């Protein structure tokens, strides 16, 4: 007998002993070692026990019936009982196993079905760390609603009967759905959430199985939906409590990227591997081999919001310059955009001459994230309105005039607007950066709540930036000097008063709390009643810059 | 019996061997697998009674079965005869893949059983017909020393496993 035959002969006996409860500790450790060290032995174990299970369930295939009559009768009896009281049906007791070889005592239980002992289903199986969901057995029923379309951005569908609006129920079907372009977010009955990026073709097979023929799909799977599965032509991804993205190419290759938790990736019908957070794998159609690939944190759109036109790829910062320019913070400013603090309107030009504002506080209709803008003037009654909820701030006497207002830009600004100086700090001209310019006297208030609501389960944790009065400003008699404030809900979180060219840098990293509503930035002209007369108005040449201002994000803990 | 209960029983009977084989591979003991199968069926009935519509019965069964196996492992964690977590995860992954070809394996198993001689087939049936029957009982019935019967039955199962592998390969299913 060959060595291989000996090995599997021994393995067969050990497995049989294990199944029958007749294995000693030493024998079990030996079996454990064989299965842990040799994948072929592990495979053999799985095939052996599967076969054993089939034989058990068919009584050794003695009567060609797939069920144990005793069990079925008992089950039906139990199910037919009334709900109120539990009945115990005792079936023929198993014989106590005789000792063949030295074995460890195992607990035996009575073979019974007790309706009263049925457990209330625990909806959450979040305690399960590694669980498998796999399934593709009998084809699922067709036409069963399994998901709802909850949001789309620029979505164009092909061959769709009827409209595809938010709230449209989606059912299992043999027919594929084709998203020609754009994005669609689906929520399944299991609460699994999926973002599809077109062009994509996919099929809903069950409430927890999607077939992706080609395109990109990102799945966010809560604990109660663990086991959510995505099939492609070459692979099967089984969720083990996670967030993951799947890209299926037209060539048939599949890329899996796991952002959180872990999944099982099955290539073809043979090999499988567990893929953990922060890793990516590729399955080639030609070979069905699984190979590691570069992980790209921004490869998939994870969340969409059509109201704010947000496509969130997992960004952890928001670009405040983009928000000042009317965006959602996930993009970049590419060209000059001016915002008039006395009207709340955007323009590609700027107000160069001094103006005053008729309205104390102006909403910005073209931005969902800016609560309002204003021209601070503390001369009137000592306090100015800084939010739509009438928060007030005791601003210094700022004359109420402004020029240039608020703007955002990148690149060489002097080529775009001759009167605006570039942002120069420490001798470096920040042309490659996102710049927010606030010329006195102007203020802007951001609605943090609106920003939070546009993002999935994320909190704003910090606001940070650096900047000040640009070194490119002329240090002539009309020397610039400003007061700068950062307020949260009307309370000062950062201030720099009497900021002049020398020592004018500001740098801050302000903590933002979940309950904070409004973030306000104010630049005033630095005028003091005790100042000597000036050749130029106090608001002249007051170009204040913030370089790459950003809001930091973190996942909500609850 | 209420119609929906009848439907549930039919579904369970149809998919029981799939769910049971899955459980048995994970726990490696027929007695424990029986207990877990009962608990799984009970929980599935509870779920079924609430919704009366399950798009994939077998999938639900596998999911619930796994949940029950993990519960079992938690309670039995002090038992020495239990796979460690790493090995368990590997077994789990393999069991899932194995289940995908269960129907093919079942057909192959029938063919392989038919290739056994009559006495060997009877021995297999004796081993599986009554789960509680011991090797000693079988050995007595066939007038063989228990240890020899033990090895012989193990050898028969090994033959069946290799025959099923060969059959699936020949049919291009592996």
């Amino acid at each position: 007998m060959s060595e291989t035959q000996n090995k599997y002969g021994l393995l067969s006996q050990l497995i049989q002993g294990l199944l029958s409860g007749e294995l000693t500790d030493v024998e079990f450790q030996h079996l454990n070692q064989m299965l842990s060290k040799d994948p072929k032995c592990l495979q053999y174990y799985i095939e052996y026990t599967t076969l054993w299970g089939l034989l058990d369930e068919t009584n050794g295939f003695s009567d060609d019936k797939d069920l144990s009559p005793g069990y079925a009768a008992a089950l039906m009896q139990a199910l037919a009982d009334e709900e109120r009281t539990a009945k115990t049906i005792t079936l023929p007791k198993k014989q106590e196993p005789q000792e063949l070889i030295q074995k460890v005592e195992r607990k035996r239980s009575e073979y019974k079905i007790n309706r009263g002992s049925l457990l209330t289903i625990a909806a959450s199986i979040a305690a399960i760390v590694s669980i498998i969901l796999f399934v593709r057995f009998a084809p699922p029923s067709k036409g069963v609603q399994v998901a709802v379309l909850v949001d789309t951005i620029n979505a164009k569908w092909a061959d769709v009967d009827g409209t595809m609006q938010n709230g449209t129920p989606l059912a299992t079907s043999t027919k594929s759905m084709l998203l020609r372009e754009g994005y669609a977010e689906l929520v399944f009955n299991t609460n699994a959430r999926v973002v599809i990026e077109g062009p994509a073709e996919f099929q809903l097979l069950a409430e927890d199985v999607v077939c992706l023929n080609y395109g990109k799909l990102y799945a966010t799977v809560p604990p109660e939906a663990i086991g959510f599965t995505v099939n492609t032509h070459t692979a099967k991804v089984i969720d083990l409590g996670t967030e993951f993205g799947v890209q299926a190419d037209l060539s048939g290759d599949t890329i899996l990227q796991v952002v959180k938790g872990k999944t099982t990736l099955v290539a073809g019908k043979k090999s499988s591997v567990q893929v953990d957070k922060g890793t990516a794998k590729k399955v080639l159609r030609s070979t069905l081999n699984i190979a590691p690939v570069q992980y790209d944190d921004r490869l998939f759109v994870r969340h969409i919001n059509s109201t704010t036109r947000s496509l969130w790829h997992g960004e952890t910062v928001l670009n405040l310059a983009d928000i000042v320019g009317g965006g959602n913070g996930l993009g970049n400013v590419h060209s000059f955009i001016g915002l008039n603090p006395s009207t709340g309107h955007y323009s590609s030009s700027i107000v160069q001459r001094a103006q005053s504002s008729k309205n104390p506080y102006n909403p910005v209709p073209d931005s969902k994230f800016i609560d309002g803008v204003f021209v601070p003037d503390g001369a009137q009654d000592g306090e100015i309105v800084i939010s739509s909820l009438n928060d007030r701030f005791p601003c210094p006497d700022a004359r109420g005039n402004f020029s240039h207002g608020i703007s955002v830009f990148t690149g060489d600004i002097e080529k775009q607007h001759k009167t605006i100086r570039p942002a120069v700090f420490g001798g470096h001209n920040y042309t490659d950066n996102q710049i927010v310019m606030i010329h006195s006297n102007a203020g802007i208030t951001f609605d943090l709540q609106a920003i939070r609501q546009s993002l999935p389960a994320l909190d704003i944790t910090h606001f940070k930036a650096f900047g000040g009065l640009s070194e490119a400003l002329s240090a002539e008699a009309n020397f610039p000097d400003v007061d700068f404030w950062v307020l949260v809900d009307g309370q000062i979180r950062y201030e720099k008063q009497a900021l002049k060219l020398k020592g004018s840098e500001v740098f801050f990293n302000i903590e933002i709390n979940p309950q904070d509503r409004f973030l306000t930035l104010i630049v005033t002209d630095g005028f003091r009643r005790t100042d000597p007369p000036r050749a130029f108005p106090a608001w002249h040449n007051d170009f204040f810059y913030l370089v790459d201002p950003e809001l930091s994000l973190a996942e909500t803990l609850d | 019996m209420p119609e929906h209960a009848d439907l549930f029983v039919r579904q369970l009977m149809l998919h029981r061997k799939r769910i049971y084989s899955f459980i048995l591979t994970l726990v490696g003991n027929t007695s424990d697998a029986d207990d877990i199968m009962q608990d799984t069926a009970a929980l599935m009935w509870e779920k079924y009674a609430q919704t009366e519509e399950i798009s994939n019965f077998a999938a639900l069964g596998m999911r619930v079965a796994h949940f029950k196996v993990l519960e079992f492992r938690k309670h039995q964690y002090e038992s020495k005869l239990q796979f460690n977590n790493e090995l368990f995860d590997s077994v789990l992954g393999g069991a899932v893949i194995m289940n995908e070809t269960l129907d093919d394996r079942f057909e192959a198993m029938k063919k392989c059983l038919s290739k056994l001689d009559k006495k060997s087939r009877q021995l297999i049936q004796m081993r599986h017909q009554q789960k509680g029957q011991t090797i000693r009982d079988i050995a007595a019935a066939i007038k063989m020393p228990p240890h020899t019967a033990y090895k012989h039955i193990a050898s028969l199962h090994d033959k069946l496993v290799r025959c099923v592998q060969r059959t699936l390969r020949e049919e291009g299913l592996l």
Side-chain angles (χ1 to χ4, degrees):
Chain A
M1 190 180 277
S2 71
E3 198 178 315
T4 305
Q5 282 174 313
N6 276 338
K7 180 171 85 172
Y8 286 107
L10 172 63
L11 191 52
S12 174
Q13 290 179 46
L14 289 173
I15 297 172
Q16 180 178 240
L18 179 73
L19 289 168
S20 313
E22 293 160 340
L23 222 56
T24 64
D25 283 0
V26 170
E27 287 166 338
F28 178 77
Q29 292 312 323
H30 189 59
L31 173 65
N32 205 43
Q33 203 172 29
M34 288 178 85
L35 301 186
S36 298
K37 294 208 165 150
D38 189 344
K40 287 185 180 171
C41 288
L42 180 64
Q43 178 66 19
Y44 182 88
Y45 166 83
I46 294 168
E47 292 185 25
Y48 195 106
T49 51
T50 300
L51 182 84
W52 194 285
L54 290 174
L55 287 167
D56 266 357
E57 285 295 295
T58 55
N59 297 314
F61 218 73
S62 58
D63 53 8
D64 205 21
K65 283 181 185 162
D66 282 1
L67 55 85
S68 160
Y71 173 82
L75 177 60
M76 288 194 184
Q77 180 62 48
L79 295 176
D81 284 346
E82 286 302 316
E83 190 70 35
R84 283 189 187 175
T85 53
K87 272 189 175 183
T88 302
I89 300 161
T90 305
L91 294 176
K93 205 171 175 179
K94 284 184 185 172
Q95 291 180 5
E96 285 298 321
Q98 305 282 328
E99 280 194 32
L100 175 66
I101 49 180
Q102 195 179 0
K103 65 179 170 74
V104 173
E105 286 294 324
R106 295 191 69 94
K107 183 182 153 192
R108 297 289 174 191
S109 61
E110 208 170 69
Y111 190 70
K112 64 180 179 183
I113 296 166
N114 183 339
R115 193 157 196 194
S117 70
L118 294 183
L119 299 174
T120 303
I121 291 174
S124 172
I125 50 176
I128 297 171
V129 174
S130 103
I131 184 172
I132 264 194
L133 205 195
F134 168 47
V135 190
R136 277 196 79 186
F137 305 119
S141 311
K142 300 298 178 290
V144 175
Q145 187 198 330
V146 293
V148 175
L149 180 69
V150 294
D151 205 358
T152 62
I153 292 182
N154 298 335
K156 288 186 181 148
W157 302 87
D159 304 327
V160 167
D161 301 326
T163 58
M164 287 290 278
Q165 293 175 341
N166 292 355
T168 300
L170 302 174
T172 54
S173 173
T174 52
K175 200 178 160 193
S176 293
M177 298 179 70
L178 177 54
L179 178 65
R180 285 197 191 283
E181 64 179 74
Y183 304 85
E185 187 163 337
L186 287 55
V187 175
F188 286 76
N189 295 349
T190 54
N191 288 331
R193 195 171 273 268
V194 154
V195 175
I196 310 253
E197 180 178 343
E201 187 179 271
F202 63 97
Q203 203 178 341
L204 304 184
L205 299 180
E207 63 178 14
D208 51 10
V209 185
V210 173
C211 182
L212 182 67
N213 295 331
Y214 64 85
K216 279 187 186 176
L217 176 155
Y218 188 84
T220 304
V221 185
E224 62 269 26
I226 279 175
F228 189 83
T229 298
V230 178
N231 298 328
T232 68
H233 288 304
T234 47
K236 183 193 306 288
V237 178
I238 306 165
D239 165 73
L240 298 177
T242 188
E243 289 184 30
F244 62 92
V246 179
Q247 180 176 314
D249 297 336
L250 284 169
S251 63
D253 295 345
T254 300
I255 290 177
L256 164 67
Q257 191 156 280
V258 179
V259 172
K260 283 185 197 169
K262 50 189 171 182
T263 67
T264 291
L265 172 63
V266 181
K269 288 191 174 184
K270 292 185 183 179
S271 55
S272 75
V273 65
Q274 183 173 295
V275 185
D276 293 335
K277 168 188 169 178
T279 54
K281 301 282 184 193
K282 186 171 186 173
V283 179
L284 291 171
R285 184 172 194 155
S286 52
T287 59
L288 293 183
N289 287 339
I290 300 174
V293 290
Q294 181 86 13
Y295 178 85
D296 179 355
D297 206 32
R298 299 286 181 262
L299 182 60
F300 294 95
V301 173
R302 305 185 200 176
H303 176 77
I304 66 174
N305 184 320
S306 56
T307 307
T308 57
R309 311 290 296 170
S310 301
L311 298 172
W312 187 65
H313 294 77
E315 290 86 345
T316 54
V317 296
L318 291 179
N319 178 0
L320 202 70
D322 183 46
I323 293 176
V324 172
N328 55 28
L330 295 173
N332 285 320
V333 171
H334 297 289
S335 58
F336 179 91
I337 301 172
L339 178 57
N340 189 322
S342 67
T343 62
H345 294 152
Y346 284 105
S347 171
S348 58
S349 61
I350 50 171
V351 175
Q352 291 190 27
R353 290 183 175 223
Q355 285 192 358
S356 60
S357 174
K358 289 177 186 172
N359 301 316
Y361 191 77
N362 304 286
V364 180
D366 292 329
S367 169
K368 291 187 169 37
F369 299 144
I370 299 176
D371 184 64
V373 289
F374 52 94
V375 179
D377 177 11
Q380 299 301 319
D381 54 8
E383 286 198 333
I384 57 171
V385 175
I386 59 165
S387 81
S388 55
L389 293 184
N390 214 31
D391 291 310
R392 288 171 179 265
F393 178 66
C395 213
D397 181 359
R399 299 312 213 181
N401 288 329
F402 77 97
S403 72
H404 294 83
I406 302 165
S407 58
V408 290
F409 60 85
T410 189
D412 187 349
I413 186 59
E414 285 182 308
K415 286 184 180 174
Q416 301 169 57
H417 285 282
K418 287 180 187 171
T419 59
I420 297 182
R421 299 289 177 267
V424 178
F425 300 97
H428 177 74
N429 187 349
Y430 286 84
T431 53
D432 294 332
N433 302 75
Q434 303 278 291
I435 308 295
V436 172
M437 192 278 291
I438 306 176
H439 193 291
S440 66
N441 296 289
I444 181 168
T445 296
F446 302 93
D447 187 343
L448 298 173
Q449 185 174 302
I451 294 171
R452 285 187 198 95
Q453 285 170 351
S454 75
L455 300 166
L458 288 170
D459 266 330
I460 303 167
T461 60
H462 292 84
F463 166 49
K464 62 181 179 184
F466 76 91
L469 294 171
S470 170
E471 291 166 16
L473 293 171
S474 169
E476 298 160 358
N478 54 335
F479 52 84
D481 61 347
V482 297
D483 300 320
F484 171 64
W485 285 277
V486 179
L487 312 177
V488 175
D489 294 332
Q491 303 301 310
I492 298 173
R493 291 282 184 94
Y494 179 86
E495 64 178 309
K496 269 268 189 171
Q497 294 197 39
L499 197 66
K500 298 185 193 310
L501 267 182
K502 267 193 179 177
S504 74
E505 294 82 18
V506 300
F507 174 76
F508 51 83
N509 188 1
I510 296 165
E511 197 174 315
I512 303 290
N513 301 312
Q515 61 272 18
D516 293 340
R517 173 71 193 267
F518 295 115
L519 172 68
T520 304
L521 309 179
I522 305 178
V523 174
T524 53
D525 58 24
F527 173 78
R528 303 287 184 270
R529 290 186 185 280
T530 53
D531 284 350
R534 301 183 186 207
F536 291 90
W539 61 82
H540 195 69
N541 216 24
D542 285 347
F543 292 93
F544 179 86
Y545 301 85
L546 290 177
V547 179
D548 293 332
E550 62 184 36
L551 297 173
S552 305
L553 306 173
E555 284 188 56
T556 312
L557 288 175
D558 58 2
Chain B
M1 187 165 91
E3 195 182 315
H4 66 276
D6 181 57
L7 191 58
F8 174 80
V9 169
R10 286 178 197 286
Q11 286 280 315
L12 186 61
M13 290 302 113
L14 187 64
H15 297 292
R16 189 191 147 89
K17 60 177 180 291
R18 184 179 298 278
I19 300 169
Y20 177 79
S21 301
F22 178 66
I23 295 171
L24 186 63
T25 300
L26 296 184
V27 297
N29 176 271
T30 53
S31 176
D32 295 334
D34 283 337
D35 289 344
I36 294 170
M37 184 69 223
Q38 301 310 309
D39 291 343
T40 298
L43 196 54
M44 288 179 71
W45 167 243
E46 196 75 34
K47 207 170 173 61
Y48 186 83
Q50 286 181 1
T51 65
E52 289 196 27
E53 184 180 308
I54 295 171
S55 61
N56 197 319
F57 194 94
L60 174 65
M62 301 271 284
R63 197 187 307 143
V64 173
H66 185 202
F67 175 57
K68 283 296 175 186
V69 166
L70 290 179
E71 254 188 357
F72 170 80
R73 279 174 59 82
K74 201 170 153 186
H75 290 133
Q76 298 282 319
Y77 74 97
E78 286 179 0
S79 165
K80 290 173 190 169
L81 299 191
Q82 185 167 229
F83 297 138
N84 61 40
N85 288 340
E86 202 180 323
L87 180 55
F88 178 77
D89 281 349
S90 301
V91 169
L92 187 59
V96 164
I97 299 172
M98 184 65 51
N99 235 279
E100 191 168 354
T101 56
L102 197 79
D103 292 333
D104 296 330
R105 284 182 184 274
F106 185 62
E107 294 304 315
M109 184 190 80
K110 285 195 279 188
K111 287 178 190 168
C112 291
L113 278 168
S114 69
K115 290 179 186 172
L116 290 176
D117 60 80
K118 190 176 174 184
K119 275 189 179 169
S120 297
R121 260 202 319 275
Q122 281 176 339
L123 209 50
I124 293 286
Q125 284 165 11
M126 286 173 79
R127 190 71 182 97
H128 292 279
Q129 215 159 8
Q130 285 185 41
K131 288 182 190 176
Q133 188 159 234
T134 65
I135 289 286
R136 197 174 290 277
D137 297 331
I138 296 172
I142 60 175
K143 297 181 176 49
M144 196 185 274
H147 212 77
T148 308
Y150 187 88
K151 286 175 84 170
H152 189 53
I153 292 171
S155 168
L156 280 178
H157 283 90
D158 174 58
K159 254 189 202 168
L160 281 173
V161 167
R162 287 187 283 115
C163 176
V164 167
Q165 285 173 349
R166 204 166 42 242
T167 305
L168 292 176
R169 269 199 299 271
E170 285 166 4
E171 293 177 1
L173 297 169
L174 253 192

